[in-house]
Amino acid sequence: MEQIIPIASDHGGFEMKQYLVEKLTKAGYKVHDYGTFSPESVDYPDMIHPLASAIEAGQYPLGIILCGSGNGAQMTANHHHNVRAALCWNVELSKLARQHNNANVLALPGRFISNELAWEMVQAFLHTDFEGGRHKRRIEKIEPIEKRNDE
Ligand code: RB5
């Protein structure tokens, strides 16, 4: 089945997002682009919350978010239940985020890495599986005890 990849950025990640949308499309993925759609200054939560809500609702298994540093995007996404957004800046980190943390959102620092590296990281993220086992126990403890719904 064709995998749909949701992607969102602010102006700080706009140019890299456009590059990644093109790469993903050429590689045969369908892309849901949550914006932003121009290099004009915007507020990253306005694009990141809608993507994170869709991941939270189970609409997509994996997503990609970007801003200048990656931090604002990651912080916003991680406010959503069942969203585990990982800020990564090399291929090894993006693989580890999947293997150990079952990250479902890759956060990229658009102003600090090259487009080529970002594309390598995206591919690694999309093709790496969660290892489970002891890592499953650990990610289940991420949510504070009082907020866990263990039924
Ligand atoms: C925008 O200038 C910048 O603050 C934003 O892209 C991001 O780095 C925030 O965390």
Side-chain angles (χ1 to χ4, degrees), residues 27-48:
Y29 293 97
K30 200 165 181 316
V31 175
H32 184 155
D33 190 346
Y34 283 84
T36 188
F37 298 107
S38 86
E40 240 172 81
S41 181
V42 288
D43 300 333
Y44 52 81
D46 294 340
M47 279 64 58
I48 305 301

Side-chain angles (χ1 to χ4, degrees), residues 3-8 34 48 50-66 73-88 93-108 121-122 124-131 139 142-143:
Q3 192 177 346
I4 303 175
I5 309 296
I7 192 165
Y34 283 84
I48 305 301
L51 180 149
S53 295
I55 299 272
E56 181 173 4
Q59 251 177 275
Y60 312 103
L62 300 173
I64 301 161
I65 57 176
L66 311 90
Q74 183 217 28
M75 288 176 189
T76 304
N78 278 325
H79 270 275
H80 291 253
H81 188 60
N82 286 335
V83 170
R84 288 176 301 282
L87 174 58
C88 300
L93 286 171
S94 60
K95 282 187 192 165
L96 273 174
R98 291 285 308 124
Q99 289 167 336
H100 288 191
N101 312 111
N102 202 12
N104 48 14
V105 176
L106 174 64
L108 295 170
M121 290 168 62
V122 165
F125 189 77
L126 297 179
H127 294 127
T128 303
D129 292 326
F130 179 45
E131 286 176 3
I139 66 165
I142 290 176
E143 185 116 322

Side-chain angles (χ1 to χ4, degrees), residues 127-141:
H127 294 127
T128 303
D129 292 326
F130 179 45
E131 286 176 3
R134 67 188 188 284
H135 301 298
K136 181 169 185 291
R137 184 180 69 240
R138 290 167 187 166
I139 66 165
E140 282 168 357
K141 289 183 179 177

